[in-house]
Amino acid sequence: MSALFDRLQTLFEQGHRAEIPDLLSDERFADAERVADAAVLIAVTDRPAPGVILTQRPAGMRDHPGQVAFPGGKIDPGENAIEAALREAEEELAMQPAHVRVIGATDRYQTGTGFDITPVLGVVPPDLPLEPNPGEVEAWFEAPLDVLLARENWSEHEVFWRGATRRYLEYHHQGFRIWGVTAAIIANLSRRIEYRALFDA
C-alpha cells in the first residue's frame, strides 16, 4: 500500500467535509451559449518528493493554445468525470488507467471559455514511460506538489477581460508558465488539502 495515497486520501476527505464559499471560478465570464462538461486528471507521482504531471498544449489548438494544463478534455456521452479524466490521460500521455489510483473528484471549475471542469485527483507510480500525443501535447513535465500547494509561491495579477477585471495566479517552473485555469484549480485544491500536514506526516 502507498503511504502517500493514504495520507492524500485522508486529507482530501477531511478537506471536503465543509463548503468553501469563495473558491476561484471564471463563471462570471462564461459564455452561456458554449458550455461543455470536461474533466482533468491531477496525477500525483508516488515518490518521496511527490510531483504533479502537467502538459503544455500545442500552439495550434483551438482552446487555451500553448498553455500549461492537466491531462484532460471533454466528457463523452455515457462517461463520468473520472472515466473521462483517465481516458484523456491515456490519449494524451499513454498513461494507463490501471496505473492511476483515484482518490476522488474535487471542486468543479467553470472557465470563461465555456468549460465546466471536474478535476480528479489520483496517485501514479513514479517515472512512468509517458509518451505524449503530438496532436494534443507539446511537452510534459513534473512540478513539485509541495511548491504548487503553497499559496505563497504564486503571484497574483490582474487583466481587463470581457469588460471586467480578472485576477489570476501565476507560477513559473523550469521555463513553464503555470497560470489561468490550471493555477486556479491548484489553488482551489490547496484549500481542500493542508499541504503542511501532508508533508509533515
Side-chain angles (χ1 to χ4, degrees), residues 142-178:
E142 187 176 332
L145 178 63
D146 59 342
V147 172
L148 295 182
L149 292 181
R151 185 62 178 264
E152 61 267 22
N153 293 322
W154 296 83
S155 58
E156 187 169 335
H157 305 271
E158 293 183 354
V159 64
F160 193 73
W161 190 52
R162 296 187 178 178
T165 298
R166 177 180 183 258
R167 293 181 172 86
Y168 65 92
L169 299 173
E170 181 175 286
Y171 173 73
H172 290 260
H173 176 73
Q174 297 181 355
F176 292 98
R177 180 190 183 210
I178 309 171

PDB file of all heavy atoms in Angstrom, residues 142-178:
ATOM      1  N   GLU A 142       6.976  17.507 -14.701  1.00  0.00           N
ATOM      2  CA  GLU A 142       6.507  17.225 -13.348  1.00  0.00           C
ATOM      3  C   GLU A 142       6.936  18.370 -12.438  1.00  0.00           C
ATOM      4  O   GLU A 142       8.115  18.715 -12.371  1.00  0.00           O
ATOM      5  CB  GLU A 142       7.098  15.904 -12.857  1.00  0.00           C
ATOM      6  CG  GLU A 142       6.563  15.422 -11.524  1.00  0.00           C
ATOM      7  CD  GLU A 142       7.114  14.053 -11.138  1.00  0.00           C
ATOM      8  OE1 GLU A 142       7.456  13.268 -12.061  1.00  0.00           O
ATOM      9  OE2 GLU A 142       7.204  13.771  -9.935  1.00  0.00           O
ATOM     10  N   ALA A 143       5.974  18.969 -11.769  1.00  0.00           N
ATOM     11  CA  ALA A 143       6.249  20.075 -10.843  1.00  0.00           C
ATOM     12  C   ALA A 143       6.021  19.602  -9.414  1.00  0.00           C
ATOM     13  O   ALA A 143       5.121  18.785  -9.161  1.00  0.00           O
ATOM     14  CB  ALA A 143       5.346  21.264 -11.152  1.00  0.00           C
ATOM     15  N   PRO A 144       6.816  20.082  -8.450  1.00  0.00           N
ATOM     16  CA  PRO A 144       6.721  19.591  -7.064  1.00  0.00           C
ATOM     17  C   PRO A 144       5.385  19.939  -6.414  1.00  0.00           C
ATOM     18  O   PRO A 144       4.938  21.089  -6.445  1.00  0.00           O
ATOM     19  CB  PRO A 144       7.889  20.276  -6.355  1.00  0.00           C
ATOM     20  CG  PRO A 144       8.286  21.409  -7.225  1.00  0.00           C
ATOM     21  CD  PRO A 144       7.906  21.056  -8.618  1.00  0.00           C
ATOM     22  N   LEU A 145       4.757  18.940  -5.824  1.00  0.00           N
ATOM     23  CA  LEU A 145       3.443  19.113  -5.213  1.00  0.00           C
ATOM     24  C   LEU A 145       3.469  20.122  -4.076  1.00  0.00           C
ATOM     25  O   LEU A 145       2.575  20.966  -3.961  1.00  0.00           O
ATOM     26  CB  LEU A 145       2.925  17.761  -4.710  1.00  0.00           C
ATOM     27  CG  LEU A 145       1.568  17.776  -4.003  1.00  0.00           C
ATOM     28  CD1 LEU A 145       0.464  18.221  -4.944  1.00  0.00           C
ATOM     29  CD2 LEU A 145       1.250  16.390  -3.422  1.00  0.00           C
ATOM     30  N   ASP A 146       4.488  20.054  -3.217  1.00  0.00           N
ATOM     31  CA  ASP A 146       4.512  20.956  -2.067  1.00  0.00           C
ATOM     32  C   ASP A 146       4.629  22.417  -2.510  1.00  0.00           C
ATOM     33  O   ASP A 146       4.014  23.309  -1.922  1.00  0.00           O
ATOM     34  CB  ASP A 146       5.627  20.588  -1.085  1.00  0.00           C
ATOM     35  CG  ASP A 146       7.012  20.631  -1.709  1.00  0.00           C
ATOM     36  OD1 ASP A 146       7.125  20.605  -2.954  1.00  0.00           O
ATOM     37  OD2 ASP A 146       8.001  20.681  -0.942  1.00  0.00           O
ATOM     38  N   VAL A 147       5.378  22.668  -3.575  1.00  0.00           N
ATOM     39  CA  VAL A 147       5.510  24.031  -4.084  1.00  0.00           C
ATOM     40  C   VAL A 147       4.187  24.519  -4.659  1.00  0.00           C
ATOM     41  O   VAL A 147       3.759  25.655  -4.421  1.00  0.00           O
ATOM     42  CB  VAL A 147       6.623  24.100  -5.146  1.00  0.00           C
ATOM     43  CG1 VAL A 147       6.644  25.464  -5.834  1.00  0.00           C
ATOM     44  CG2 VAL A 147       7.976  23.822  -4.509  1.00  0.00           C
ATOM     45  N   LEU A 148       3.506  23.660  -5.405  1.00  0.00           N
ATOM     46  CA  LEU A 148       2.249  24.059  -6.023  1.00  0.00           C
ATOM     47  C   LEU A 148       1.157  24.334  -4.996  1.00  0.00           C
ATOM     48  O   LEU A 148       0.324  25.235  -5.176  1.00  0.00           O
ATOM     49  CB  LEU A 148       1.777  22.977  -6.997  1.00  0.00           C
ATOM     50  CG  LEU A 148       2.651  22.715  -8.223  1.00  0.00           C
ATOM     51  CD1 LEU A 148       2.001  21.649  -9.098  1.00  0.00           C
ATOM     52  CD2 LEU A 148       2.907  23.976  -9.025  1.00  0.00           C
ATOM     53  N   LEU A 149       1.131  23.579  -3.916  1.00  0.00           N
ATOM     54  CA  LEU A 149       0.070  23.741  -2.922  1.00  0.00           C
ATOM     55  C   LEU A 149       0.297  24.903  -1.971  1.00  0.00           C
ATOM     56  O   LEU A 149      -0.631  25.300  -1.256  1.00  0.00           O
ATOM     57  CB  LEU A 149      -0.099  22.447  -2.113  1.00  0.00           C
ATOM     58  CG  LEU A 149      -0.650  21.238  -2.863  1.00  0.00           C
ATOM     59  CD1 LEU A 149      -0.788  20.049  -1.912  1.00  0.00           C
ATOM     60  CD2 LEU A 149      -1.988  21.547  -3.530  1.00  0.00           C
ATOM     61  N   ALA A 150       1.506  25.469  -1.956  1.00  0.00           N
ATOM     62  CA  ALA A 150       1.815  26.584  -1.063  1.00  0.00           C
ATOM     63  C   ALA A 150       1.449  27.895  -1.757  1.00  0.00           C
ATOM     64  O   ALA A 150       2.109  28.307  -2.717  1.00  0.00           O
ATOM     65  CB  ALA A 150       3.287  26.565  -0.673  1.00  0.00           C
ATOM     66  N   ARG A 151       0.417  28.567  -1.288  1.00  0.00           N
ATOM     67  CA  ARG A 151      -0.095  29.773  -1.953  1.00  0.00           C
ATOM     68  C   ARG A 151       0.954  30.884  -2.034  1.00  0.00           C
ATOM     69  O   ARG A 151       0.943  31.688  -2.966  1.00  0.00           O
ATOM     70  CB  ARG A 151      -1.338  30.269  -1.211  1.00  0.00           C
ATOM     71  CG  ARG A 151      -2.046  31.454  -1.857  1.00  0.00           C
ATOM     72  CD  ARG A 151      -2.570  31.140  -3.242  1.00  0.00           C
ATOM     73  NE  ARG A 151      -3.274  32.268  -3.811  1.00  0.00           N
ATOM     74  CZ  ARG A 151      -4.589  32.430  -3.765  1.00  0.00           C
ATOM     75  NH1 ARG A 151      -5.339  31.518  -3.174  1.00  0.00           N
ATOM     76  NH2 ARG A 151      -5.162  33.470  -4.311  1.00  0.00           N
ATOM     77  N   GLU A 152       1.877  30.904  -1.074  1.00  0.00           N
ATOM     78  CA  GLU A 152       2.875  31.974  -1.081  1.00  0.00           C
ATOM     79  C   GLU A 152       3.820  31.903  -2.275  1.00  0.00           C
ATOM     80  O   GLU A 152       4.531  32.877  -2.576  1.00  0.00           O
ATOM     81  CB  GLU A 152       3.688  31.965   0.217  1.00  0.00           C
ATOM     82  CG  GLU A 152       4.482  30.705   0.486  1.00  0.00           C
ATOM     83  CD  GLU A 152       3.737  29.685   1.329  1.00  0.00           C
ATOM     84  OE1 GLU A 152       2.483  29.749   1.371  1.00  0.00           O
ATOM     85  OE2 GLU A 152       4.399  28.834   1.948  1.00  0.00           O
ATOM     86  N   ASN A 153       3.841  30.785  -2.971  1.00  0.00           N
ATOM     87  CA  ASN A 153       4.709  30.653  -4.144  1.00  0.00           C
ATOM     88  C   ASN A 153       4.085  31.238  -5.411  1.00  0.00           C
ATOM     89  O   ASN A 153       4.753  31.341  -6.444  1.00  0.00           O
ATOM     90  CB  ASN A 153       5.041  29.177  -4.388  1.00  0.00           C
ATOM     91  CG  ASN A 153       5.913  28.602  -3.288  1.00  0.00           C
ATOM     92  OD1 ASN A 153       6.800  29.277  -2.771  1.00  0.00           O
ATOM     93  ND2 ASN A 153       5.660  27.362  -2.915  1.00  0.00           N
ATOM     94  N   TRP A 154       2.828  31.613  -5.329  1.00  0.00           N
ATOM     95  CA  TRP A 154       2.113  32.114  -6.503  1.00  0.00           C
ATOM     96  C   TRP A 154       2.020  33.631  -6.462  1.00  0.00           C
ATOM     97  O   TRP A 154       1.769  34.219  -5.410  1.00  0.00           O
ATOM     98  CB  TRP A 154       0.703  31.524  -6.552  1.00  0.00           C
ATOM     99  CG  TRP A 154       0.694  30.039  -6.733  1.00  0.00           C
ATOM    100  CD1 TRP A 154       0.849  29.087  -5.752  1.00  0.00           C
ATOM    101  CD2 TRP A 154       0.562  29.333  -7.963  1.00  0.00           C
ATOM    102  NE1 TRP A 154       0.812  27.832  -6.306  1.00  0.00           N
ATOM    103  CE2 TRP A 154       0.631  27.946  -7.656  1.00  0.00           C
ATOM    104  CE3 TRP A 154       0.379  29.724  -9.281  1.00  0.00           C
ATOM    105  CZ2 TRP A 154       0.520  26.964  -8.633  1.00  0.00           C
ATOM    106  CZ3 TRP A 154       0.263  28.754 -10.257  1.00  0.00           C
ATOM    107  CH2 TRP A 154       0.338  27.389  -9.931  1.00  0.00           C
ATOM    108  N   SER A 155       2.209  34.257  -7.598  1.00  0.00           N
ATOM    109  CA  SER A 155       1.999  35.702  -7.707  1.00  0.00           C
ATOM    110  C   SER A 155       0.612  35.955  -8.280  1.00  0.00           C
ATOM    111  O   SER A 155       0.104  35.177  -9.087  1.00  0.00           O
ATOM    112  CB  SER A 155       3.071  36.353  -8.583  1.00  0.00           C
ATOM    113  OG  SER A 155       3.090  35.778  -9.874  1.00  0.00           O
ATOM    114  N   GLU A 156      -0.008  37.050  -7.852  1.00  0.00           N
ATOM    115  CA  GLU A 156      -1.350  37.388  -8.309  1.00  0.00           C
ATOM    116  C   GLU A 156      -1.287  38.577  -9.263  1.00  0.00           C
ATOM    117  O   GLU A 156      -0.562  39.543  -9.015  1.00  0.00           O
ATOM    118  CB  GLU A 156      -2.271  37.705  -7.125  1.00  0.00           C
ATOM    119  CG  GLU A 156      -3.713  37.909  -7.530  1.00  0.00           C
ATOM    120  CD  GLU A 156      -4.661  37.960  -6.335  1.00  0.00           C
ATOM    121  OE1 GLU A 156      -4.322  37.401  -5.283  1.00  0.00           O
ATOM    122  OE2 GLU A 156      -5.749  38.552  -6.476  1.00  0.00           O
ATOM    123  N   HIS A 157      -2.047  38.493 -10.341  1.00  0.00           N
ATOM    124  CA  HIS A 157      -2.036  39.534 -11.365  1.00  0.00           C
ATOM    125  C   HIS A 157      -3.463  39.892 -11.747  1.00  0.00           C
ATOM    126  O   HIS A 157      -4.409  39.177 -11.419  1.00  0.00           O
ATOM    127  CB  HIS A 157      -1.267  39.058 -12.604  1.00  0.00           C
ATOM    128  CG  HIS A 157       0.127  38.602 -12.314  1.00  0.00           C
ATOM    129  ND1 HIS A 157       1.209  39.451 -12.327  1.00  0.00           N
ATOM    130  CD2 HIS A 157       0.610  37.383 -11.987  1.00  0.00           C
ATOM    131  CE1 HIS A 157       2.301  38.776 -12.027  1.00  0.00           C
ATOM    132  NE2 HIS A 157       1.965  37.521 -11.814  1.00  0.00           N
ATOM    133  N   GLU A 158      -3.607  40.999 -12.478  1.00  0.00           N
ATOM    134  CA  GLU A 158      -4.907  41.431 -12.953  1.00  0.00           C
ATOM    135  C   GLU A 158      -4.836  41.738 -14.440  1.00  0.00           C
ATOM    136  O   GLU A 158      -3.805  42.189 -14.941  1.00  0.00           O
ATOM    137  CB  GLU A 158      -5.377  42.695 -12.213  1.00  0.00           C
ATOM    138  CG  GLU A 158      -5.682  42.492 -10.755  1.00  0.00           C
ATOM    139  CD  GLU A 158      -6.204  43.768 -10.107  1.00  0.00           C
ATOM    140  OE1 GLU A 158      -6.205  44.820 -10.795  1.00  0.00           O
ATOM    141  OE2 GLU A 158      -6.614  43.722  -8.941  1.00  0.00           O
ATOM    142  N   VAL A 159      -5.938  41.475 -15.136  1.00  0.00           N
ATOM    143  CA  VAL A 159      -6.046  41.825 -16.546  1.00  0.00           C
ATOM    144  C   VAL A 159      -7.490  42.251 -16.801  1.00  0.00           C
ATOM    145  O   VAL A 159      -8.423  41.733 -16.169  1.00  0.00           O
ATOM    146  CB  VAL A 159      -5.650  40.633 -17.451  1.00  0.00           C
ATOM    147  CG1 VAL A 159      -6.604  39.472 -17.287  1.00  0.00           C
ATOM    148  CG2 VAL A 159      -5.561  41.063 -18.905  1.00  0.00           C
ATOM    149  N   PHE A 160      -7.677  43.203 -17.672  1.00  0.00           N
ATOM    150  CA  PHE A 160      -9.026  43.626 -18.037  1.00  0.00           C
ATOM    151  C   PHE A 160      -9.498  42.743 -19.176  1.00  0.00           C
ATOM    152  O   PHE A 160      -8.895  42.708 -20.254  1.00  0.00           O
ATOM    153  CB  PHE A 160      -9.034  45.101 -18.462  1.00  0.00           C
ATOM    154  CG  PHE A 160     -10.419  45.674 -18.554  1.00  0.00           C
ATOM    155  CD1 PHE A 160     -11.141  45.959 -17.401  1.00  0.00           C
ATOM    156  CD2 PHE A 160     -11.002  45.921 -19.787  1.00  0.00           C
ATOM    157  CE1 PHE A 160     -12.425  46.495 -17.479  1.00  0.00           C
ATOM    158  CE2 PHE A 160     -12.281  46.446 -19.878  1.00  0.00           C
ATOM    159  CZ  PHE A 160     -12.996  46.738 -18.725  1.00  0.00           C
ATOM    160  N   TRP A 161     -10.561  41.972 -18.945  1.00  0.00           N
ATOM    161  CA  TRP A 161     -11.010  40.957 -19.903  1.00  0.00           C
ATOM    162  C   TRP A 161     -12.522  40.909 -19.914  1.00  0.00           C
ATOM    163  O   TRP A 161     -13.161  40.832 -18.865  1.00  0.00           O
ATOM    164  CB  TRP A 161     -10.436  39.592 -19.493  1.00  0.00           C
ATOM    165  CG  TRP A 161     -10.610  38.483 -20.484  1.00  0.00           C
ATOM    166  CD1 TRP A 161     -10.269  38.493 -21.798  1.00  0.00           C
ATOM    167  CD2 TRP A 161     -11.169  37.188 -20.234  1.00  0.00           C
ATOM    168  NE1 TRP A 161     -10.561  37.279 -22.386  1.00  0.00           N
ATOM    169  CE2 TRP A 161     -11.111  36.464 -21.450  1.00  0.00           C
ATOM    170  CE3 TRP A 161     -11.695  36.564 -19.111  1.00  0.00           C
ATOM    171  CZ2 TRP A 161     -11.571  35.161 -21.572  1.00  0.00           C
ATOM    172  CZ3 TRP A 161     -12.152  35.254 -19.224  1.00  0.00           C
ATOM    173  CH2 TRP A 161     -12.089  34.566 -20.435  1.00  0.00           C
ATOM    174  N   ARG A 162     -13.093  40.991 -21.109  1.00  0.00           N
ATOM    175  CA  ARG A 162     -14.540  40.914 -21.286  1.00  0.00           C
ATOM    176  C   ARG A 162     -15.284  41.907 -20.400  1.00  0.00           C
ATOM    177  O   ARG A 162     -16.290  41.588 -19.761  1.00  0.00           O
ATOM    178  CB  ARG A 162     -15.046  39.496 -21.050  1.00  0.00           C
ATOM    179  CG  ARG A 162     -14.519  38.484 -22.066  1.00  0.00           C
ATOM    180  CD  ARG A 162     -15.173  37.124 -21.911  1.00  0.00           C
ATOM    181  NE  ARG A 162     -14.676  36.198 -22.921  1.00  0.00           N
ATOM    182  CZ  ARG A 162     -15.043  34.921 -23.004  1.00  0.00           C
ATOM    183  NH1 ARG A 162     -15.900  34.420 -22.141  1.00  0.00           N
ATOM    184  NH2 ARG A 162     -14.541  34.135 -23.954  1.00  0.00           N
ATOM    185  N   GLY A 163     -14.739  43.115 -20.345  1.00  0.00           N
ATOM    186  CA  GLY A 163     -15.418  44.203 -19.657  1.00  0.00           C
ATOM    187  C   GLY A 163     -15.269  44.240 -18.157  1.00  0.00           C
ATOM    188  O   GLY A 163     -15.965  45.008 -17.480  1.00  0.00           O
ATOM    189  N   ALA A 164     -14.388  43.423 -17.604  1.00  0.00           N
ATOM    190  CA  ALA A 164     -14.215  43.405 -16.152  1.00  0.00           C
ATOM    191  C   ALA A 164     -12.775  43.039 -15.808  1.00  0.00           C
ATOM    192  O   ALA A 164     -12.016  42.547 -16.652  1.00  0.00           O
ATOM    193  CB  ALA A 164     -15.179  42.407 -15.502  1.00  0.00           C
ATOM    194  N   THR A 165     -12.401  43.307 -14.580  1.00  0.00           N
ATOM    195  CA  THR A 165     -11.068  42.955 -14.108  1.00  0.00           C
ATOM    196  C   THR A 165     -11.046  41.491 -13.686  1.00  0.00           C
ATOM    197  O   THR A 165     -11.861  41.061 -12.863  1.00  0.00           O
ATOM    198  CB  THR A 165     -10.652  43.841 -12.916  1.00  0.00           C
ATOM    199  OG1 THR A 165     -10.610  45.198 -13.350  1.00  0.00           O
ATOM    200  CG2 THR A 165      -9.280  43.434 -12.397  1.00  0.00           C
ATOM    201  N   ARG A 166     -10.122  40.740 -14.274  1.00  0.00           N
ATOM    202  CA  ARG A 166      -9.971  39.325 -13.936  1.00  0.00           C
ATOM    203  C   ARG A 166      -8.651  39.143 -13.210  1.00  0.00           C
ATOM    204  O   ARG A 166      -7.599  39.551 -13.706  1.00  0.00           O
ATOM    205  CB  ARG A 166      -9.998  38.457 -15.192  1.00  0.00           C
ATOM    206  CG  ARG A 166      -9.778  36.970 -14.916  1.00  0.00           C
ATOM    207  CD  ARG A 166      -9.822  36.178 -16.219  1.00  0.00           C
ATOM    208  NE  ARG A 166      -9.694  34.750 -15.994  1.00  0.00           N
ATOM    209  CZ  ARG A 166      -8.571  34.064 -16.182  1.00  0.00           C
ATOM    210  NH1 ARG A 166      -7.476  34.670 -16.599  1.00  0.00           N
ATOM    211  NH2 ARG A 166      -8.540  32.762 -15.951  1.00  0.00           N
ATOM    212  N   ARG A 167      -8.711  38.537 -12.044  1.00  0.00           N
ATOM    213  CA  ARG A 167      -7.498  38.235 -11.286  1.00  0.00           C
ATOM    214  C   ARG A 167      -7.077  36.795 -11.576  1.00  0.00           C
ATOM    215  O   ARG A 167      -7.920  35.918 -11.714  1.00  0.00           O
ATOM    216  CB  ARG A 167      -7.736  38.424  -9.792  1.00  0.00           C
ATOM    217  CG  ARG A 167      -7.972  39.878  -9.395  1.00  0.00           C
ATOM    218  CD  ARG A 167      -8.179  40.013  -7.896  1.00  0.00           C
ATOM    219  NE  ARG A 167      -8.227  41.409  -7.499  1.00  0.00           N
ATOM    220  CZ  ARG A 167      -9.331  42.152  -7.528  1.00  0.00           C
ATOM    221  NH1 ARG A 167     -10.462  41.617  -7.927  1.00  0.00           N
ATOM    222  NH2 ARG A 167      -9.305  43.415  -7.152  1.00  0.00           N
ATOM    223  N   TYR A 168      -5.779  36.593 -11.677  1.00  0.00           N
ATOM    224  CA  TYR A 168      -5.289  35.240 -11.924  1.00  0.00           C
ATOM    225  C   TYR A 168      -3.965  35.022 -11.211  1.00  0.00           C
ATOM    226  O   TYR A 168      -3.241  35.974 -10.880  1.00  0.00           O
ATOM    227  CB  TYR A 168      -5.142  34.964 -13.429  1.00  0.00           C
ATOM    228  CG  TYR A 168      -4.092  35.796 -14.130  1.00  0.00           C
ATOM    229  CD1 TYR A 168      -2.780  35.343 -14.265  1.00  0.00           C
ATOM    230  CD2 TYR A 168      -4.410  37.038 -14.678  1.00  0.00           C
ATOM    231  CE1 TYR A 168      -1.812  36.097 -14.908  1.00  0.00           C
ATOM    232  CE2 TYR A 168      -3.454  37.798 -15.326  1.00  0.00           C
ATOM    233  CZ  TYR A 168      -2.164  37.321 -15.442  1.00  0.00           C
ATOM    234  OH  TYR A 168      -1.207  38.074 -16.075  1.00  0.00           O
ATOM    235  N   LEU A 169      -3.649  33.760 -10.966  1.00  0.00           N
ATOM    236  CA  LEU A 169      -2.414  33.364 -10.298  1.00  0.00           C
ATOM    237  C   LEU A 169      -1.411  32.878 -11.329  1.00  0.00           C
ATOM    238  O   LEU A 169      -1.783  32.389 -12.395  1.00  0.00           O
ATOM    239  CB  LEU A 169      -2.695  32.263  -9.277  1.00  0.00           C
ATOM    240  CG  LEU A 169      -3.644  32.616  -8.144  1.00  0.00           C
ATOM    241  CD1 LEU A 169      -3.957  31.388  -7.308  1.00  0.00           C
ATOM    242  CD2 LEU A 169      -3.068  33.726  -7.271  1.00  0.00           C
ATOM    243  N   GLU A 170      -0.131  32.966 -10.978  1.00  0.00           N
ATOM    244  CA  GLU A 170       0.918  32.582 -11.918  1.00  0.00           C
ATOM    245  C   GLU A 170       2.134  32.066 -11.150  1.00  0.00           C
ATOM    246  O   GLU A 170       2.490  32.593 -10.098  1.00  0.00           O
ATOM    247  CB  GLU A 170       1.305  33.787 -12.775  1.00  0.00           C
ATOM    248  CG  GLU A 170       2.378  33.509 -13.800  1.00  0.00           C
ATOM    249  CD  GLU A 170       2.611  34.723 -14.690  1.00  0.00           C
ATOM    250  OE1 GLU A 170       1.756  34.988 -15.549  1.00  0.00           O
ATOM    251  OE2 GLU A 170       3.623  35.421 -14.505  1.00  0.00           O
ATOM    252  N   TYR A 171       2.752  31.026 -11.703  1.00  0.00           N
ATOM    253  CA  TYR A 171       3.993  30.483 -11.144  1.00  0.00           C
ATOM    254  C   TYR A 171       4.822  29.927 -12.301  1.00  0.00           C
ATOM    255  O   TYR A 171       4.287  29.276 -13.205  1.00  0.00           O
ATOM    256  CB  TYR A 171       3.694  29.375 -10.119  1.00  0.00           C
ATOM    257  CG  TYR A 171       4.919  28.651  -9.628  1.00  0.00           C
ATOM    258  CD1 TYR A 171       5.813  29.276  -8.747  1.00  0.00           C
ATOM    259  CD2 TYR A 171       5.201  27.357 -10.038  1.00  0.00           C
ATOM    260  CE1 TYR A 171       6.945  28.619  -8.303  1.00  0.00           C
ATOM    261  CE2 TYR A 171       6.331  26.694  -9.593  1.00  0.00           C
ATOM    262  CZ  TYR A 171       7.203  27.322  -8.729  1.00  0.00           C
ATOM    263  OH  TYR A 171       8.326  26.680  -8.289  1.00  0.00           O
ATOM    264  N   HIS A 172       6.110  30.198 -12.277  1.00  0.00           N
ATOM    265  CA  HIS A 172       6.999  29.710 -13.333  1.00  0.00           C
ATOM    266  C   HIS A 172       7.851  28.558 -12.790  1.00  0.00           C
ATOM    267  O   HIS A 172       8.457  28.670 -11.724  1.00  0.00           O
ATOM    268  CB  HIS A 172       7.901  30.844 -13.831  1.00  0.00           C
ATOM    269  CG  HIS A 172       7.152  31.880 -14.607  1.00  0.00           C
ATOM    270  ND1 HIS A 172       7.137  31.916 -15.987  1.00  0.00           N
ATOM    271  CD2 HIS A 172       6.365  32.905 -14.216  1.00  0.00           C
ATOM    272  CE1 HIS A 172       6.399  32.921 -16.401  1.00  0.00           C
ATOM    273  NE2 HIS A 172       5.910  33.542 -15.345  1.00  0.00           N
ATOM    274  N   HIS A 173       7.876  27.467 -13.561  1.00  0.00           N
ATOM    275  CA  HIS A 173       8.647  26.289 -13.158  1.00  0.00           C
ATOM    276  C   HIS A 173       9.458  25.803 -14.346  1.00  0.00           C
ATOM    277  O   HIS A 173       8.891  25.347 -15.350  1.00  0.00           O
ATOM    278  CB  HIS A 173       7.714  25.178 -12.666  1.00  0.00           C
ATOM    279  CG  HIS A 173       8.424  23.905 -12.328  1.00  0.00           C
ATOM    280  ND1 HIS A 173       9.210  23.759 -11.208  1.00  0.00           N
ATOM    281  CD2 HIS A 173       8.486  22.711 -12.980  1.00  0.00           C
ATOM    282  CE1 HIS A 173       9.721  22.537 -11.175  1.00  0.00           C
ATOM    283  NE2 HIS A 173       9.300  21.885 -12.249  1.00  0.00           N
ATOM    284  N   GLN A 174      10.762  25.935 -14.250  1.00  0.00           N
ATOM    285  CA  GLN A 174      11.687  25.435 -15.273  1.00  0.00           C
ATOM    286  C   GLN A 174      11.285  25.868 -16.685  1.00  0.00           C
ATOM    287  O   GLN A 174      11.278  25.079 -17.623  1.00  0.00           O
ATOM    288  CB  GLN A 174      11.797  23.910 -15.177  1.00  0.00           C
ATOM    289  CG  GLN A 174      12.377  23.430 -13.857  1.00  0.00           C
ATOM    290  CD  GLN A 174      12.510  21.931 -13.779  1.00  0.00           C
ATOM    291  OE1 GLN A 174      12.083  21.198 -14.668  1.00  0.00           O
ATOM    292  NE2 GLN A 174      13.122  21.446 -12.705  1.00  0.00           N
ATOM    293  N   GLY A 175      10.943  27.137 -16.804  1.00  0.00           N
ATOM    294  CA  GLY A 175      10.602  27.690 -18.106  1.00  0.00           C
ATOM    295  C   GLY A 175       9.144  27.558 -18.498  1.00  0.00           C
ATOM    296  O   GLY A 175       8.735  28.089 -19.541  1.00  0.00           O
ATOM    297  N   PHE A 176       8.338  26.869 -17.705  1.00  0.00           N
ATOM    298  CA  PHE A 176       6.917  26.719 -17.988  1.00  0.00           C
ATOM    299  C   PHE A 176       6.120  27.711 -17.144  1.00  0.00           C
ATOM    300  O   PHE A 176       6.357  27.849 -15.947  1.00  0.00           O
ATOM    301  CB  PHE A 176       6.440  25.300 -17.674  1.00  0.00           C
ATOM    302  CG  PHE A 176       6.999  24.244 -18.585  1.00  0.00           C
ATOM    303  CD1 PHE A 176       8.090  23.485 -18.201  1.00  0.00           C
ATOM    304  CD2 PHE A 176       6.434  24.023 -19.833  1.00  0.00           C
ATOM    305  CE1 PHE A 176       8.608  22.506 -19.032  1.00  0.00           C
ATOM    306  CE2 PHE A 176       6.946  23.039 -20.675  1.00  0.00           C
ATOM    307  CZ  PHE A 176       8.039  22.284 -20.280  1.00  0.00           C
ATOM    308  N   ARG A 177       5.178  28.378 -17.782  1.00  0.00           N
ATOM    309  CA  ARG A 177       4.313  29.330 -17.085  1.00  0.00           C
ATOM    310  C   ARG A 177       3.002  28.633 -16.721  1.00  0.00           C
ATOM    311  O   ARG A 177       2.222  28.261 -17.590  1.00  0.00           O
ATOM    312  CB  ARG A 177       4.036  30.534 -17.986  1.00  0.00           C
ATOM    313  CG  ARG A 177       3.145  31.597 -17.377  1.00  0.00           C
ATOM    314  CD  ARG A 177       2.742  32.602 -18.431  1.00  0.00           C
ATOM    315  NE  ARG A 177       1.948  33.680 -17.859  1.00  0.00           N
ATOM    316  CZ  ARG A 177       1.011  34.358 -18.532  1.00  0.00           C
ATOM    317  NH1 ARG A 177       0.781  34.056 -19.802  1.00  0.00           N
ATOM    318  NH2 ARG A 177       0.328  35.323 -17.958  1.00  0.00           N
ATOM    319  N   ILE A 178       2.776  28.469 -15.436  1.00  0.00           N
ATOM    320  CA  ILE A 178       1.549  27.852 -14.943  1.00  0.00           C
ATOM    321  C   ILE A 178       0.636  28.978 -14.473  1.00  0.00           C
ATOM    322  O   ILE A 178       0.987  29.722 -13.555  1.00  0.00           O
ATOM    323  CB  ILE A 178       1.840  26.877 -13.783  1.00  0.00           C
ATOM    324  CG1 ILE A 178       2.941  25.879 -14.167  1.00  0.00           C
ATOM    325  CG2 ILE A 178       0.576  26.144 -13.362  1.00  0.00           C
ATOM    326  CD1 ILE A 178       3.429  25.040 -13.006  1.00  0.00           C
TER     327      ILE A 178
END
